[in-house]
Amino acid sequence: MSYENLIVEQKGMTQVITINRPKQLNALNKATIQELHEALDAADKDAQTGVIILTGSGEKSFVAGADIKEFADFDPAQGKDLAAQGQEKLFTFLQNLSTPVIAAVNGFALGGGLELAMAAHIRVASDNARMGLPEVSLGVIPGYGGTQRLAQLVGRGKAMEMVMTAGMIGAEEAQSWGLVNHVTTQEELMALAEKIAGKILNNSGNAIAAAIRAINANYEDGVDGYAKEVEEFGNCFGTPDFKEGTGAFIEKRKANFRS
Ligand code: CO8
């Protein structure tokens, strides 16, 4: 499938999705959100894709936020609708995918851009990355899950400060806060993301999907995460991957989950 605002490349069992609006610093307009939904859905359903890497085109920006020019004259109902639809189509959707998503943050990740990175399962950043939730400087608050996920990742105190000051932090600080897992040079960023993808691909896709569901359960209202873990754990015993993984251990060979 071809997209107007995305570049999709297959590298073995890893699919790289690049948001490609460099003149707007890859800002997320409605059309890009729709395309990301379609591309992520297709990758998730594709048996030949075991990991997705999400990044931005150009050297300057991952995603500089929601497209401000698109919503500047919206009224409250339209604003609410935009946030709700975006969350459903992209941010919550991404978080709940069965296929792990690594955000390779290659520059500005602001507002909806940081919210997109935070919805991914793993974040790595290049040393030029700048992250922040500047929405209050525009007279709004984060609307794509940022008030929730930032506090989950860095704690309530740091989240309050980042949101209230509308300030940006660099990659090293983001790593020390726990907002990104690893920092590297711009040149090495994709290689690092692909290396992590390679490690993931050695393991059972079914079990990884179950782990994503169990970990996410901790953040869902009214869901007992421990009970979800027990349920998912039990279900793993009925999968071919369980037979392959345990069989390979007993036979002293490397498990092959992806043939
Ligand atoms: N939306 C639309 N266009 C943008 C955006 C954006 N978020 N960011 C940059 N651009 C455009 C600029 O307008 C400019 O276009 P043009 O050349 O046509 O004027 C082009 O990208 C290049 O940008 P700059 O010239 O500003 O580049 P600089 O290097 O000088 O500055 C910055 C880079 C600091 C990243 C600057 O562009 C900036 O501050 N951008 C806006 C960052 C921001 O505030 N992001 C948060 C947006 S709000 C948001 O994400 C809300 C999420 C929740 C929404 C819920 C639904 C409503």
Side-chain angles (χ1 to χ4, degrees):
M1 208 182 316
S2 73
Y3 299 96
E4 201 177 321
N5 302 309
L6 306 178
I7 300 166
V8 177
E9 295 162 281
Q10 197 71 28
K11 296 187 170 183
M13 292 199 72
T14 300
Q15 187 169 115
V16 180
I17 301 177
T18 304
I19 300 160
N20 187 34
R21 300 183 76 216
K23 283 186 185 145
Q24 291 78 29
L25 303 185
N26 304 319
L28 293 176
N29 59 359
K30 270 168 121 177
T32 306
I33 287 177
Q34 178 61 32
E35 288 193 352
L36 277 167
H37 173 84
E38 289 167 19
L40 289 167
D41 191 36
D44 196 47
K45 288 174 177 154
D46 175 11
Q48 295 311 309
T49 297
V51 177
I52 299 163
I53 298 174
L54 196 55
T55 194
S57 82
E59 292 182 354
K60 198 168 165 182
S61 182
F62 173 69
V63 170
D67 192 319
I68 299 167
K69 292 160 195 164
E70 200 175 59
F71 66 72
D73 61 359
F74 275 15
D75 64 23
Q78 288 172 302
K80 194 172 172 182
D81 189 51
L82 188 67
Q85 284 201 30
Q87 289 202 16
E88 186 188 324
K89 269 194 189 151
L90 181 54
F91 298 81
T92 309
F93 182 75
L94 193 170
Q95 173 178 281
N96 293 326
L97 287 185
S98 296
T99 308
V101 180
I102 302 172
V105 179
N106 59 313
F108 288 116
L110 301 175
L114 182 56
E115 291 174 299
L116 185 64
M118 290 194 294
H121 304 111
I122 294 173
R123 283 154 295 286
V124 296
S126 54
D127 49 17
N128 67 321
R130 306 274 297 152
M131 287 163 245
L133 292 178
E135 283 90 341
V136 298
S137 72
L138 298 165
V140 289
I141 65 166
Y144 286 148
T147 60
Q148 308 303 297
R149 291 193 187 94
L150 184 63
Q152 288 164 8
L153 285 165
V154 307
R156 197 193 307 200
K158 286 194 169 74
M160 288 279 188
E161 183 179 336
M162 185 181 257
V163 170
M164 288 179 196
T165 61
M168 290 186 212
I169 59 170
E172 301 288 346
E173 198 171 4
Q175 186 182 20
S176 75
W177 284 21
L179 188 51
V180 301
N181 295 10
H182 304 278
V183 176
T184 187
T185 60
Q186 281 175 268
E187 297 74 30
E188 290 294 318
L189 181 65
M190 291 311 287
L192 173 64
E194 285 170 28
K195 189 174 162 196
I196 296 169
K199 288 184 183 176
I200 293 171
L201 288 167
N202 288 332
N203 303 315
S204 156
N206 284 329
I208 286 166
I212 291 172
R213 289 191 291 273
I215 292 170
N216 283 349
N218 186 41
Y219 303 98
E220 285 167 33
D221 276 348
V223 175
D224 179 346
Y226 292 98
K228 181 70 176 164
E229 183 182 274
V230 168
E231 179 198 329
E232 294 287 353
F233 179 80
N235 289 343
C236 288
F237 284 66
T239 64
D241 279 6
F242 174 71
K243 298 272 175 286
E244 171 61 14
T246 51
F249 176 80
I250 289 163
E251 293 159 22
K252 298 190 185 299
R253 62 177 173 81
K254 195 173 179 297
N256 180 5
F257 295 112
R258 310 267 180 182
S259 59

Short mmCIF file of all heavy atoms in Angstrom, two decimals, residues 96-158:
data_model
loop_
_atom_site.label_atom_id
_atom_site.label_comp_id
_atom_site.label_asym_id
_atom_site.label_seq_id
_atom_site.Cartn_x
_atom_site.Cartn_y
_atom_site.Cartn_z
N ASN A 96 -2.08 -0.76 22.19
CA ASN A 96 -2.66 -2.09 22.35
C ASN A 96 -2.35 -3.04 21.20
O ASN A 96 -2.91 -4.14 21.15
CB ASN A 96 -4.18 -1.97 22.53
CG ASN A 96 -4.51 -1.31 23.86
OD1 ASN A 96 -3.81 -1.49 24.85
ND2 ASN A 96 -5.58 -0.52 23.89
N LEU A 97 -1.48 -2.64 20.28
CA LEU A 97 -1.11 -3.56 19.19
C LEU A 97 -0.44 -4.80 19.77
O LEU A 97 0.23 -4.73 20.80
CB LEU A 97 -0.14 -2.89 18.22
CG LEU A 97 -0.67 -1.82 17.26
CD1 LEU A 97 0.45 -1.38 16.32
CD2 LEU A 97 -1.86 -2.32 16.46
N SER A 98 -0.58 -5.93 19.07
CA SER A 98 0.10 -7.16 19.48
C SER A 98 1.56 -7.13 19.06
O SER A 98 2.39 -7.83 19.63
CB SER A 98 -0.57 -8.37 18.82
OG SER A 98 -1.89 -8.48 19.28
N THR A 99 1.87 -6.36 18.02
CA THR A 99 3.24 -6.27 17.51
C THR A 99 3.96 -5.14 18.23
O THR A 99 3.45 -4.01 18.27
CB THR A 99 3.21 -5.96 15.99
OG1 THR A 99 2.36 -6.91 15.36
CG2 THR A 99 4.61 -6.02 15.39
N PRO A 100 5.14 -5.43 18.81
CA PRO A 100 5.84 -4.35 19.52
C PRO A 100 6.23 -3.20 18.61
O PRO A 100 6.66 -3.42 17.47
CB PRO A 100 7.09 -5.03 20.08
CG PRO A 100 7.05 -6.43 19.70
CD PRO A 100 5.85 -6.70 18.86
N VAL A 101 6.08 -1.98 19.11
CA VAL A 101 6.45 -0.78 18.36
C VAL A 101 7.56 -0.05 19.09
O VAL A 101 7.44 0.25 20.29
CB VAL A 101 5.23 0.17 18.19
CG1 VAL A 101 5.64 1.41 17.39
CG2 VAL A 101 4.07 -0.54 17.51
N ILE A 102 8.65 0.20 18.37
CA ILE A 102 9.78 0.98 18.92
C ILE A 102 9.72 2.36 18.28
O ILE A 102 9.75 2.48 17.06
CB ILE A 102 11.13 0.32 18.58
CG1 ILE A 102 11.19 -1.12 19.11
CG2 ILE A 102 12.28 1.16 19.13
CD1 ILE A 102 12.43 -1.91 18.63
N ALA A 103 9.63 3.41 19.10
CA ALA A 103 9.71 4.77 18.57
C ALA A 103 11.18 5.18 18.54
O ALA A 103 11.85 5.15 19.58
CB ALA A 103 8.91 5.73 19.44
N ALA A 104 11.68 5.51 17.34
CA ALA A 104 13.05 6.01 17.19
C ALA A 104 12.95 7.52 17.07
O ALA A 104 12.62 8.06 16.01
CB ALA A 104 13.71 5.38 15.97
N VAL A 105 13.18 8.22 18.18
CA VAL A 105 12.91 9.66 18.28
C VAL A 105 14.15 10.41 17.77
O VAL A 105 15.18 10.47 18.44
CB VAL A 105 12.58 10.05 19.74
CG1 VAL A 105 12.34 11.55 19.85
CG2 VAL A 105 11.37 9.26 20.24
N ASN A 106 14.02 10.97 16.56
CA ASN A 106 15.18 11.48 15.83
C ASN A 106 15.24 13.01 15.81
O ASN A 106 15.87 13.57 14.91
CB ASN A 106 15.16 10.95 14.39
CG ASN A 106 13.89 11.34 13.66
OD1 ASN A 106 12.80 11.20 14.20
ND2 ASN A 106 14.01 11.85 12.44
N GLY A 107 14.62 13.67 16.76
CA GLY A 107 14.64 15.14 16.78
C GLY A 107 13.50 15.61 17.68
O GLY A 107 13.19 14.97 18.69
N PHE A 108 12.82 16.70 17.28
CA PHE A 108 11.72 17.21 18.11
C PHE A 108 10.62 16.15 18.28
O PHE A 108 10.15 15.57 17.29
CB PHE A 108 11.09 18.44 17.45
CG PHE A 108 11.94 19.67 17.50
CD1 PHE A 108 12.42 20.25 16.33
CD2 PHE A 108 12.24 20.28 18.72
CE1 PHE A 108 13.20 21.40 16.37
CE2 PHE A 108 13.02 21.43 18.78
CZ PHE A 108 13.51 21.99 17.60
N ALA A 109 10.24 15.91 19.51
CA ALA A 109 9.05 15.11 19.82
C ALA A 109 8.24 15.97 20.78
O ALA A 109 8.46 15.96 21.99
CB ALA A 109 9.42 13.77 20.45
N LEU A 110 7.33 16.74 20.20
CA LEU A 110 6.60 17.75 20.97
C LEU A 110 5.10 17.48 20.91
O LEU A 110 4.59 17.03 19.88
CB LEU A 110 6.89 19.15 20.41
CG LEU A 110 8.37 19.56 20.41
CD1 LEU A 110 8.54 20.91 19.71
CD2 LEU A 110 8.93 19.61 21.83
N GLY A 111 4.41 17.78 22.00
CA GLY A 111 2.96 17.62 22.00
C GLY A 111 2.57 16.24 21.52
O GLY A 111 3.04 15.21 22.04
N GLY A 112 1.72 16.21 20.48
CA GLY A 112 1.27 14.94 19.93
C GLY A 112 2.41 14.04 19.48
O GLY A 112 2.26 12.82 19.41
N GLY A 113 3.58 14.63 19.20
CA GLY A 113 4.75 13.83 18.81
C GLY A 113 5.30 13.05 19.98
O GLY A 113 5.62 11.86 19.87
N LEU A 114 5.41 13.72 21.13
CA LEU A 114 5.85 12.99 22.32
C LEU A 114 4.77 12.01 22.76
O LEU A 114 5.06 10.89 23.20
CB LEU A 114 6.19 13.97 23.46
CG LEU A 114 6.70 13.32 24.74
CD1 LEU A 114 7.93 12.44 24.48
CD2 LEU A 114 7.03 14.38 25.80
N GLU A 115 3.53 12.41 22.59
CA GLU A 115 2.42 11.50 22.95
C GLU A 115 2.45 10.25 22.09
O GLU A 115 2.18 9.14 22.56
CB GLU A 115 1.09 12.24 22.82
CG GLU A 115 0.95 13.33 23.89
CD GLU A 115 -0.29 14.19 23.72
OE1 GLU A 115 -0.41 14.85 22.67
OE2 GLU A 115 -1.13 14.20 24.62
N LEU A 116 2.83 10.40 20.82
CA LEU A 116 2.95 9.24 19.94
C LEU A 116 4.10 8.34 20.41
O LEU A 116 3.94 7.12 20.51
CB LEU A 116 3.21 9.72 18.50
CG LEU A 116 3.24 8.63 17.43
CD1 LEU A 116 1.88 7.94 17.31
CD2 LEU A 116 3.66 9.21 16.07
N ALA A 117 5.24 8.95 20.71
CA ALA A 117 6.37 8.15 21.20
C ALA A 117 6.00 7.44 22.50
O ALA A 117 6.37 6.28 22.70
CB ALA A 117 7.59 9.05 21.40
N MET A 118 5.25 8.12 23.35
CA MET A 118 4.90 7.51 24.64
C MET A 118 3.89 6.38 24.49
O MET A 118 3.81 5.49 25.34
CB MET A 118 4.35 8.57 25.60
CG MET A 118 5.41 9.56 26.07
SD MET A 118 4.90 10.55 27.48
CE MET A 118 3.57 11.52 26.79
N ALA A 119 3.10 6.41 23.42
CA ALA A 119 2.15 5.31 23.19
C ALA A 119 2.86 4.07 22.66
O ALA A 119 2.34 2.95 22.75
CB ALA A 119 1.05 5.75 22.21
N ALA A 120 4.08 4.26 22.09
CA ALA A 120 4.85 3.11 21.61
C ALA A 120 5.31 2.27 22.82
O ALA A 120 5.30 2.74 23.96
CB ALA A 120 6.05 3.60 20.80
N HIS A 121 5.74 1.04 22.55
CA HIS A 121 6.10 0.14 23.65
C HIS A 121 7.51 0.42 24.17
O HIS A 121 7.80 0.20 25.34
CB HIS A 121 5.96 -1.31 23.19
CG HIS A 121 4.58 -1.62 22.69
ND1 HIS A 121 4.30 -1.88 21.37
CD2 HIS A 121 3.39 -1.64 23.33
CE1 HIS A 121 3.00 -2.07 21.22
NE2 HIS A 121 2.42 -1.92 22.39
N ILE A 122 8.39 0.89 23.27
CA ILE A 122 9.79 1.16 23.62
C ILE A 122 10.20 2.47 22.92
O ILE A 122 9.79 2.71 21.79
CB ILE A 122 10.69 0.00 23.13
CG1 ILE A 122 10.37 -1.30 23.90
CG2 ILE A 122 12.18 0.34 23.26
CD1 ILE A 122 11.08 -2.54 23.36
N ARG A 123 11.01 3.28 23.60
CA ARG A 123 11.51 4.52 22.99
C ARG A 123 13.03 4.56 23.03
O ARG A 123 13.63 4.29 24.08
CB ARG A 123 11.00 5.76 23.77
CG ARG A 123 9.57 6.14 23.51
CD ARG A 123 8.95 6.87 24.67
NE ARG A 123 8.87 5.99 25.84
CZ ARG A 123 7.98 5.00 25.96
NH1 ARG A 123 7.09 4.80 25.04
NH2 ARG A 123 7.99 4.20 27.03
N VAL A 124 13.63 4.89 21.88
CA VAL A 124 15.06 5.21 21.83
C VAL A 124 15.17 6.60 21.18
O VAL A 124 14.28 6.99 20.42
CB VAL A 124 15.87 4.16 21.04
CG1 VAL A 124 15.82 2.82 21.72
CG2 VAL A 124 15.40 4.04 19.60
N ALA A 125 16.24 7.31 21.51
CA ALA A 125 16.35 8.69 20.99
C ALA A 125 17.76 8.98 20.51
O ALA A 125 18.74 8.41 21.03
CB ALA A 125 15.97 9.69 22.09
N SER A 126 17.86 9.88 19.54
CA SER A 126 19.17 10.39 19.14
C SER A 126 19.52 11.57 20.04
O SER A 126 18.63 12.19 20.65
CB SER A 126 19.15 10.82 17.67
OG SER A 126 18.11 11.73 17.44
N ASP A 127 20.82 11.87 20.11
CA ASP A 127 21.26 12.86 21.09
C ASP A 127 20.81 14.29 20.78
O ASP A 127 20.92 15.17 21.62
CB ASP A 127 22.78 12.79 21.30
CG ASP A 127 23.55 12.77 19.99
OD1 ASP A 127 22.97 13.14 18.94
OD2 ASP A 127 24.73 12.39 20.00
N ASN A 128 20.26 14.52 19.57
CA ASN A 128 19.71 15.85 19.25
C ASN A 128 18.22 15.95 19.58
O ASN A 128 17.60 16.99 19.31
CB ASN A 128 19.91 16.16 17.76
CG ASN A 128 19.09 15.26 16.86
OD1 ASN A 128 18.97 14.06 17.15
ND2 ASN A 128 18.52 15.79 15.80
N ALA A 129 17.63 14.89 20.10
CA ALA A 129 16.17 14.90 20.34
C ALA A 129 15.80 15.93 21.41
O ALA A 129 16.56 16.16 22.36
CB ALA A 129 15.70 13.51 20.76
N ARG A 130 14.65 16.55 21.22
CA ARG A 130 14.13 17.50 22.21
C ARG A 130 12.67 17.12 22.46
O ARG A 130 11.89 16.99 21.51
CB ARG A 130 14.17 18.93 21.67
CG ARG A 130 15.53 19.38 21.18
CD ARG A 130 16.42 19.96 22.26
NE ARG A 130 15.90 21.16 22.87
CZ ARG A 130 16.16 21.54 24.14
NH1 ARG A 130 16.90 20.80 24.91
NH2 ARG A 130 15.67 22.67 24.59
N MET A 131 12.32 16.94 23.71
CA MET A 131 10.98 16.44 24.03
C MET A 131 10.24 17.37 24.97
O MET A 131 10.84 17.93 25.89
CB MET A 131 11.10 15.05 24.68
CG MET A 131 11.47 13.98 23.69
SD MET A 131 12.09 12.48 24.49
CE MET A 131 13.77 12.52 23.89
N GLY A 132 8.95 17.50 24.74
CA GLY A 132 8.15 18.33 25.62
C GLY A 132 6.67 18.26 25.27
O GLY A 132 6.29 17.76 24.21
N LEU A 133 5.86 18.75 26.20
CA LEU A 133 4.40 18.86 25.97
C LEU A 133 4.07 20.35 26.09
O LEU A 133 3.71 20.82 27.18
CB LEU A 133 3.63 18.01 26.98
CG LEU A 133 3.79 16.49 26.85
CD1 LEU A 133 3.00 15.75 27.95
CD2 LEU A 133 3.36 15.98 25.48
N PRO A 134 4.20 21.11 24.98
CA PRO A 134 4.05 22.57 25.06
C PRO A 134 2.61 23.06 24.93
O PRO A 134 2.38 24.26 24.73
CB PRO A 134 4.88 23.04 23.85
CG PRO A 134 4.80 21.94 22.86
CD PRO A 134 4.63 20.66 23.63
N GLU A 135 1.63 22.17 25.09
CA GLU A 135 0.24 22.55 24.78
C GLU A 135 -0.26 23.74 25.57
O GLU A 135 -1.01 24.57 25.04
CB GLU A 135 -0.70 21.35 25.01
CG GLU A 135 -0.66 20.30 23.91
CD GLU A 135 0.37 19.21 24.12
OE1 GLU A 135 1.30 19.43 24.92
OE2 GLU A 135 0.26 18.15 23.49
N VAL A 136 0.12 23.85 26.87
CA VAL A 136 -0.43 24.98 27.66
C VAL A 136 0.04 26.32 27.11
O VAL A 136 -0.59 27.35 27.35
CB VAL A 136 -0.17 24.87 29.18
CG1 VAL A 136 -0.84 23.63 29.77
CG2 VAL A 136 1.31 24.91 29.52
N SER A 137 1.15 26.30 26.34
CA SER A 137 1.60 27.57 25.72
C SER A 137 0.68 27.96 24.57
O SER A 137 0.73 29.09 24.08
CB SER A 137 3.04 27.44 25.22
OG SER A 137 3.10 26.61 24.08
N LEU A 138 -0.15 27.01 24.12
CA LEU A 138 -1.13 27.28 23.04
C LEU A 138 -2.54 27.45 23.61
O LEU A 138 -3.50 27.60 22.86
CB LEU A 138 -1.15 26.11 22.04
CG LEU A 138 0.16 25.83 21.29
CD1 LEU A 138 0.10 24.45 20.64
CD2 LEU A 138 0.44 26.90 20.25
N GLY A 139 -2.65 27.34 24.94
CA GLY A 139 -3.97 27.49 25.56
C GLY A 139 -4.79 26.22 25.60
O GLY A 139 -6.00 26.26 25.84
N VAL A 140 -4.15 25.07 25.36
CA VAL A 140 -4.83 23.78 25.50
C VAL A 140 -3.98 22.87 26.39
O VAL A 140 -2.92 23.28 26.86
CB VAL A 140 -5.07 23.07 24.13
CG1 VAL A 140 -6.12 23.77 23.31
CG2 VAL A 140 -3.77 22.92 23.34
N ILE A 141 -4.47 21.66 26.63
CA ILE A 141 -3.66 20.69 27.36
C ILE A 141 -3.36 19.52 26.41
O ILE A 141 -3.98 19.42 25.34
CB ILE A 141 -4.39 20.17 28.64
CG1 ILE A 141 -5.67 19.38 28.28
CG2 ILE A 141 -4.70 21.33 29.58
CD1 ILE A 141 -6.23 18.57 29.45
N PRO A 142 -2.44 18.65 26.78
CA PRO A 142 -2.21 17.47 25.94
C PRO A 142 -3.52 16.71 25.76
O PRO A 142 -4.25 16.49 26.73
CB PRO A 142 -1.20 16.65 26.75
CG PRO A 142 -0.49 17.66 27.60
CD PRO A 142 -1.54 18.67 27.96
N GLY A 143 -3.83 16.34 24.52
CA GLY A 143 -5.12 15.70 24.25
C GLY A 143 -5.00 14.32 23.65
O GLY A 143 -6.01 13.65 23.38
N TYR A 144 -3.76 13.88 23.42
CA TYR A 144 -3.55 12.54 22.85
C TYR A 144 -2.92 11.61 23.87
O TYR A 144 -2.04 10.82 23.57
CB TYR A 144 -2.69 12.64 21.58
CG TYR A 144 -3.41 13.20 20.37
CD1 TYR A 144 -2.72 13.94 19.41
CD2 TYR A 144 -4.76 12.95 20.15
CE1 TYR A 144 -3.37 14.44 18.27
CE2 TYR A 144 -5.41 13.45 19.03
CZ TYR A 144 -4.72 14.19 18.10
OH TYR A 144 -5.37 14.67 16.98
N GLY A 145 -3.41 11.71 25.12
CA GLY A 145 -2.99 10.76 26.16
C GLY A 145 -1.80 11.22 26.98
O GLY A 145 -1.35 10.50 27.87
N GLY A 146 -1.28 12.42 26.69
CA GLY A 146 -0.05 12.86 27.34
C GLY A 146 -0.16 13.04 28.84
O GLY A 146 0.79 12.75 29.58
N THR A 147 -1.30 13.53 29.33
CA THR A 147 -1.41 13.75 30.78
C THR A 147 -1.37 12.41 31.51
O THR A 147 -0.93 12.35 32.67
CB THR A 147 -2.73 14.47 31.16
OG1 THR A 147 -3.85 13.67 30.72
CG2 THR A 147 -2.82 15.86 30.51
N GLN A 148 -1.79 11.35 30.84
CA GLN A 148 -1.81 10.04 31.49
C GLN A 148 -0.47 9.31 31.33
O GLN A 148 0.12 8.85 32.29
CB GLN A 148 -2.95 9.18 30.89
CG GLN A 148 -4.30 9.87 30.90
CD GLN A 148 -4.71 10.32 32.30
OE1 GLN A 148 -4.90 9.51 33.19
NE2 GLN A 148 -4.86 11.63 32.50
N ARG A 149 -0.01 9.23 30.08
CA ARG A 149 1.20 8.40 29.85
C ARG A 149 2.47 9.06 30.38
O ARG A 149 3.37 8.36 30.82
CB ARG A 149 1.35 8.07 28.36
CG ARG A 149 0.28 7.11 27.86
CD ARG A 149 0.58 6.51 26.50
NE ARG A 149 -0.58 5.74 26.07
CZ ARG A 149 -1.55 6.23 25.30
NH1 ARG A 149 -1.48 7.46 24.82
NH2 ARG A 149 -2.59 5.47 24.98
N LEU A 150 2.55 10.39 30.35
CA LEU A 150 3.77 11.02 30.87
C LEU A 150 3.90 10.73 32.36
O LEU A 150 4.98 10.36 32.85
CB LEU A 150 3.80 12.53 30.60
CG LEU A 150 5.09 13.21 31.04
CD1 LEU A 150 6.30 12.68 30.25
CD2 LEU A 150 5.01 14.73 30.89
N ALA A 151 2.79 10.88 33.09
CA ALA A 151 2.83 10.61 34.53
C ALA A 151 3.16 9.13 34.79
O ALA A 151 3.89 8.81 35.73
CB ALA A 151 1.50 11.00 35.17
N GLN A 152 2.65 8.23 33.94
CA GLN A 152 2.96 6.80 34.12
C GLN A 152 4.46 6.55 33.93
O GLN A 152 5.06 5.73 34.62
CB GLN A 152 2.18 5.96 33.10
CG GLN A 152 0.70 5.86 33.39
CD GLN A 152 -0.10 5.35 32.20
OE1 GLN A 152 0.46 4.93 31.18
NE2 GLN A 152 -1.41 5.39 32.31
N LEU A 153 5.06 7.26 32.98
CA LEU A 153 6.47 6.98 32.64
C LEU A 153 7.45 7.69 33.57
O LEU A 153 8.49 7.13 33.91
CB LEU A 153 6.75 7.39 31.18
CG LEU A 153 6.20 6.44 30.12
CD1 LEU A 153 6.20 7.10 28.75
CD2 LEU A 153 7.03 5.16 30.07
N VAL A 154 7.15 8.93 33.95
CA VAL A 154 8.17 9.70 34.69
C VAL A 154 7.70 10.08 36.09
O VAL A 154 8.48 10.67 36.84
CB VAL A 154 8.61 10.97 33.91
CG1 VAL A 154 9.05 10.62 32.51
CG2 VAL A 154 7.53 12.05 33.89
N GLY A 155 6.48 9.75 36.47
CA GLY A 155 5.95 10.14 37.78
C GLY A 155 5.18 11.45 37.70
O GLY A 155 5.40 12.27 36.81
N ARG A 156 4.30 11.63 38.67
CA ARG A 156 3.38 12.77 38.63
C ARG A 156 4.10 14.12 38.75
O ARG A 156 3.76 15.08 38.06
CB ARG A 156 2.37 12.64 39.77
CG ARG A 156 1.15 13.51 39.57
CD ARG A 156 0.30 13.64 40.81
NE ARG A 156 -0.07 12.35 41.39
CZ ARG A 156 -1.09 12.21 42.23
NH1 ARG A 156 -1.85 13.24 42.53
NH2 ARG A 156 -1.36 11.04 42.75
N GLY A 157 5.12 14.18 39.61
CA GLY A 157 5.80 15.46 39.85
C GLY A 157 6.49 15.99 38.60
O GLY A 157 6.33 17.16 38.24
N LYS A 158 7.27 15.13 37.94
CA LYS A 158 7.97 15.57 36.73
C LYS A 158 6.97 15.86 35.61
O LYS A 158 7.15 16.79 34.82
CB LYS A 158 8.97 14.51 36.28
CG LYS A 158 10.21 14.44 37.15
CD LYS A 158 11.30 13.65 36.45
CE LYS A 158 12.65 13.77 37.15
NZ LYS A 158 12.73 13.00 38.39
#
